[in-house]
Amino acid sequence: MSGLVVDFSLDLPGFRLSVAERFAPHGLTVVFGPSGSGKSSLLRVIAGLEGGAEGSVCFNGQTWQGPGRHVAPHRRAIGYVFQEARLFAHLSVAGNLAYAERRARKAGRVPDRAAIVAALGLDGLLTRRPSGLSGGEAQRVAMARALMSAPRLLLMDEPLSALDDAAKGAILPYIEAIRDGMQVPVIYVTHSVSEVARLAHHIVMLEAGQVRRAGPAQDILSDPAAAPAFGIRAAGSVLRAEVLAHHDDGLSELAVAGGRLLVPGFAAAIGTRVRVRIAAQDVILSRQRPEGLSALNLLEGELTDVRRGQGPGVMVRLRMGPEQDVLARITQRSARALSLAPGQRCFAVIKSLSIAPLDVGGSGSD
Amino acid sequence: MSGLVVDFSLDLPGFRLSVAERFAPHGLTVVFGPSGSGKSSLLRVIAGLEGGAEGSVCFNGQTWQGPGRHVAPHRRAIGYVFQEARLFAHLSVAGNLAYAERRARKAGRVPDRAAIVAALGLDGLLTRRPSGLSGGEAQRVAMARALMSAPRLLLMDEPLSALDDAAKGAILPYIEAIRDGMQVPVIYVTHSVSEVARLAHHIVMLEAGQVRRAGPAQDILSDPAAAPAFGIRAAGSVLRAEVLAHHDDGLSELAVAGGRLLVPGFAAAIGTRVRVRIAAQDVILSRQRPEGLSALNLLEGELTDVRRGQGPGVMVRLRMGPEQDVLARITQRSARALSLAPGQRCFAVIKSLSIAPLDVGGSGSD
Amino acid sequence: MWSEGAGFPDLTPLWLTIRLAGISVVILLIVGTPLAWWLAQTKSRLKVAVEAITALPLVLPPTVLGFYLLVLLSPNSMLGGAWRDVTGTALTFTFTGLVVASVLYSLPFTVQPLQASFEAIGRHPMEAAATLGAGPTDRFFTVATPLALRGYLTAMVLSFAHTLGEFGVVLMVGGNIPGQTKVISIAIYEQVETLEYAQAHLLSAILLGISFVVLVAVYAANRRFPVHAG
Amino acid sequence: MWSEGAGFPDLTPLWLTIRLAGISVVILLIVGTPLAWWLAQTKSRLKVAVEAITALPLVLPPTVLGFYLLVLLSPNSMLGGAWRDVTGTALTFTFTGLVVASVLYSLPFTVQPLQASFEAIGRHPMEAAATLGAGPTDRFFTVATPLALRGYLTAMVLSFAHTLGEFGVVLMVGGNIPGQTKVISIAIYEQVETLEYAQAHLLSAILLGISFVVLVAVYAANRRFPVHAG
Amino acid sequence: AAARAETATVAVATNFAKAAEQLIAGFEAQTDHRITLVTGSTGKLFAQIIEGAPFDAFLAADQARPARLEAENRAVAGARFTYAKGQLVLWSATPGFIKPDGAAALRAGDFTHLAIANPDLAPYGLAAKQALQGLDLWDALRPKLVMGQNIGQAFSMVATGNAELGLVAKSYAVSNRNRESGHHWDVPEALYDPIRQDAVLLREANVAARDFLAYLKGGEARLLIQDHGYHVE
Ligand SMILES: Nc1ncnc2c1ncn2[C@@H]1O[C@H](COP(=O)(O)OP(=O)(O)OP(=O)(O)O)[C@@H](O)[C@H]1O
Ligand SMILES: Nc1ncnc2c1ncn2[C@@H]1O[C@H](COP(=O)(O)OP(=O)(O)OP(=O)(O)O)[C@@H](O)[C@H]1O
Ligand SMILES: [Mg+2]
Ligand SMILES: [Mg+2]
């Protein structure tokens, strides 16, 4: 029985967290939910830090917690990035990293120190004391330290919250590499929709201590019903794609159901299967093929449903192929003006640049 | 001499922060810059917490720091939201708020407790100890505590970084109310581009301890040269607008230079002058007037320049009126396909829903 | 040797002791707090020397320290003479003198734990308090003090208990005057020396019993109102 | 009275004292650390009682405590008898006995500051260490101990100085045997009692001087390698 | 010195420590035995002997405790004897403070503190109390009394100038360093019970200790003891 399976409840004064969930054995699961919904507590239970949790936690067939059994946190081979940095004040940055590395090596796991230090941009900071770090620097060190323990399960609690986009852009590929390359399942708490969109294979949505929805990222992000939870702007669809070509003008061409997509160039061999996320927000619909627009991408599909939410928008679903939908969020007024109805053929107009590199993820393994 | 004027340098081991800057006397100034660029240190100097700073800090004609003079932090009537919550561990949430309130009242300033507690959603948390708060809860309490001191200058260091969009959505209007209503200047550190776009009247960009750019938000956000610093996706323009009508289908209609805009409805009296931000990312260009599209907004203007950046995109500027530009970020390939050149008349196609309420700000006072 | 019948012992020394310990602890806190705070904050080069000097009274045997205090506080000395000129009373062989001696002798037990816990607070909470409008005294009492409660507890327990038990200094400086400077530790000592073991056991038991109750109460209170470190 | 010429005093008691204080401090740390750690961690109802009992040795006058220890450790007693059966030596009137007595008497000075600083660490750093693969002993030594350094410093200074100066217990249990149990505090005491003031001043000065140097060194070291609280 | 050389540990009441040091020196000069001197208050030494202290002989400051040791078979029966008789003096650190008649000085009451040893603990304290009672001054002077636990502490209180007067052992008042400073008045022996200081042998087998006690009774020792301000029988 591989992967992480939890089934527990935890009572805190005035708050009850109750989760029964099977986490995918690989890939990255985003835990998403409002402030105070129990995300950090869930990670703490998985790590074995909440003595009061009742129930079971199993990882790759090993019972970490169960009736009469509690594997101590230090035997779980996890990496935990806490919401606050929690660096060791008595050690330098290098000392903090070495602390993790030494224990990982003793347990036979070998972290790639140079790669981690480079990915997190810590070269200039190694001799610093934690008290002399800025907020974002401390957060990067904390993340590096967790990675240095070469964990078999990575728990990350808003690891990028104190970082600017440039730093995120430098770190995210590394997290993706872990997610895809090292077969280390990652459980990742974030409030950032772009991180969800970019990283998540799976999503667990918590609300008031309960799982409200859980499933593959693709399903949840393209489910209009789930959209409000992420903020309507996060809604979108994920299409399976294959790399067809890389062009000189910096665009890459992908084959998807319903047509071709030009997206900002990225590194992947021709033929690689990738996933592309298209935000519902960024899609314009047209009944006939539009001409003379700057937008390069035009996908044709069958309109399957038009769904009203609150506010002035509606969510329109175009089917490009089996399980390959594109969502478009447009105004009711437009929907009326175009007399949209299920069964029609429609064009989705998508700017290449709105499919920013952030939204081009690896194919994952599921 | 009203407003905040600083001219100082601060030497930390291995880092030098040197800022000479006049902050606007009202409105919100966003301090933006990569991790470790000195944002928190700048706030600390303004608050009087860095004894080592050399130079001057003046606020509303009062010299807070100068030759032979150093007004103690507690006499500066500032509110400071630290990057970490820094709640008093020995006091309950209510106790933390009361701590600020009591001292503000003694100094003759009266905070609106009920409004603050409501805006930050603290009703259920008042009897809690800080050790029993989640990360986001602690951050909200810290922000409430700073507001409870009814400051004359508000310093906020990434106050919303631990919060989800829903919580941000509840809090941002309150910050806007402070910014616009209370004439309290706010200096606000953030990494979030959407917060910059929504809140900033002024922007100070720091890099490696130096101010790289500073000025009105409108100028900086619509300056293609500044765009990379924010991440290219933040580039955009700010148009002055006037509310024309609120429609039944949830859209509000605005008059802008170059035409009319339909945007998601928001509360503002007819005739109110507002600012609308249009992300360059969200604009599609067309040489002729397009038909049959779901996008409702079409602005016509004169193409003034096309500017290549790195990557596959170009930034195109359309002039709608004096100092009223719309930026569009499109691919080089499209630019070529449309044979764009300065002097042409062009249409900007903008989805109503891409102008999300976040980007409709008050008009500010400048 | 345990068999002598014992009348119920005279408890005057006990009350005297409790008064002495109580007053000493109060004065120790008043004197020790600013000293500990200064030591915790200062970057002065003097710090190390002052820290060392604060601990020195401990090093001398109590009776010997008492002897030196006798010399120092004597009306013939500058200090004792000045005191006599100002107050009209002597410092030696009086309750006041005992208090002075106790305070000097127990100072390290107050200063050291306080200093340690002030240092543990760090500057973050104090900075936060300053930005909320709290001046140095205000934030000292409303932030540093409550956060250092554990240090105050340790300081009070150690100095109170030490004052109860200490008698070498007190004996020399106090002169063992019944009702004035004859504290319980001297009384028990006397009984042991005069082979009044039964009386000694009884007084010791009373002292231990009362101390135990006081200590349990103090610790239980501390437990009920802890400051969570994290 | 200060004028008498004094031959240079016999320093055997000084070395004996330093040995005693050194050994006692080491044993105190070994014994006190787990006790303080347990007290800092436990949620047991016993905690308060154990805390109180730990402070009790302080409450009794040293000589009286010494008397009870004398009875307790004597070969006629269960404990002392068992010790004699096992080791062939007595606990009373021996250096070993002194060590036992010193440890008991100075225990509060070790346990209390340690406990306070362990409590101040909170659970966060320890949890972080656990997730990095450090077991309880590992993280105790690599995280809790360095973060509690200030507490160790206080504990060591207080217990070392107290052992140097303490003589009531030691006198009673040790029997003042030259070269074996006659520590410097007893020697100075004796000189004061026998009016050898000059000798007493000299020995006191030596003791204070050495202590001062040791303390300054310890504090200076602590200053050089501080743990920043924030 | 035909006898085999041995070592002995002799416990001596603090007030006699100075004299004992010289006695031991004299003794060791005559024999090959070696004596280790342990000093302390009589009460403390007594408790330690009861608990098995390795003392071979005990020179107490009173008669009661040696007698009790003998009665409890902790001391060698019949070996007990009085090695010295203490004398009480009125002493002041200020020369001339005591007028030729000390009793008059006490009566004049021209002082704030009179130091004595604790009458409950120290034989000299008891003697001081008896003397004051004999002079009918006990009740009048009580408020001015300060007490040391032993005669040494009482002496310190006077020596440091905190008490103007003290009733102390003559041995202290006449010790080398106090001969010149201070001034003393011998309290008439009729005013207090004799302060007999008894010695006992604790271990019969210890030749050195036995020889030392024998030495104490000899002429040389007696002279030396007298020189320290004691009477001998
Ligand atoms: N006490 C100190 N000793 C040495 N360097 C320091 C100290 N405090 C801050 N620095 C350095 O000063 C620089 C600026 O720090 P600051 O906290 O102002 O950055 P920041 O812009 O707020 O970054 P972040 O977004 O990560 O919070 C950083 O490189 C930091 O490492
Ligand atoms: N020790 C405690 N005592 C009481 N309530 C607690 C305690 N710890 C956590 N809680 C409560 O449990 C709930 C869940 O906390 P948790 O830290 O898991 O939230 P979270 O989802 O991580 O929130 P955030 O995004 O704000 O970090 C919160 O309402 C919090 O107040
Ligand atoms: Mg959390
Ligand atoms: Mg910062």
Side-chain angles (χ1 to χ4, degrees), chain A residues 36 38-41 83 157-158 189 191, chain B residues 134-136:
Chain A
K39 306 180 294 295
S40 300
S41 305
Q83 199 166 0
D157 201 345
E158 310 197 29
V189 173
H191 290 124
Chain B
S134 80

Side-chain angles (χ1 to χ4, degrees), chain E residues 4-231:
Chain E
R4 242 181 57 242
E6 274 203 42
T7 57
T9 304
V10 177
V12 176
T14 310
N15 73 62
F16 197 69
K18 286 257 84 74
E21 262 175 37
Q22 294 184 17
L23 289 168
I24 288 169
F27 174 67
E28 287 183 342
Q30 291 179 15
T31 69
D32 292 337
H33 297 311
R34 288 290 166 268
I35 302 290
T36 302
L37 175 65
V38 170
T39 63
S41 79
T42 301
K44 215 171 288 160
L45 294 171
F46 173 81
Q48 290 172 334
I49 290 164
I50 296 282
E51 298 302 336
F55 304 149
D56 301 302
F58 178 30
L59 273 57
D62 65 359
Q63 282 191 302
R65 277 170 273 216
R68 195 155 149 192
L69 286 174
E70 200 176 42
E72 289 182 14
N73 287 326
R74 301 238 175 213
V76 176
R80 183 160 66 91
F81 71 102
T82 301
Y83 64 93
K85 268 169 54 187
Q87 280 181 279
L88 193 67
V89 295
L90 180 66
W91 184 72
S92 167
T94 318
F97 190 85
I98 301 169
K99 299 165 187 99
D101 180 9
L106 285 174
R107 284 214 176 76
D110 191 14
F111 54 90
T112 39
H113 292 296
L114 170 66
I116 64 172
N118 190 332
D120 296 331
L121 297 187
Y124 287 95
L126 183 62
K129 182 177 176 181
Q130 289 167 344
L132 289 176
Q133 282 169 335
L135 291 170
D136 243 353
L137 285 171
W138 175 250
D139 290 322
L141 288 182
R142 263 185 88 151
K144 298 188 171 184
L145 290 183
V146 292
M147 284 183 276
Q149 288 316 75
N150 52 46
I151 202 65
Q153 291 182 351
F155 187 84
S156 291
M157 291 170 177
V158 187
T160 55
N162 285 283
E164 295 89 332
L165 289 174
L167 284 165
V168 301
K170 187 171 184 182
S171 59
Y172 279 54
V174 304
S175 81
N176 293 337
R177 356 195 135 9
N178 294 309
R179 262 183 231 283
E180 325 83 52
S181 70
H183 182 73
H184 70 268
W185 171 68
D186 289 305
V187 178
E189 284 179 55
L191 284 175
Y192 56 94
D193 294 342
I195 307 166
R196 291 173 181 280
Q197 305 198 175
D198 280 10
V200 280
L201 184 63
L202 298 171
R203 305 203 181 160
E204 185 154 30
N206 191 301
V207 184
R210 211 172 48 208
D211 288 357
F212 180 64
L213 291 192
Y215 171 77
L216 285 186
K217 296 175 184 163
E220 178 187 324
R222 290 164 66 95
L223 276 176
L224 213 153
I225 292 171
Q226 279 173 316
D227 196 41
H228 274 89
Y230 298 91
H231 285 317

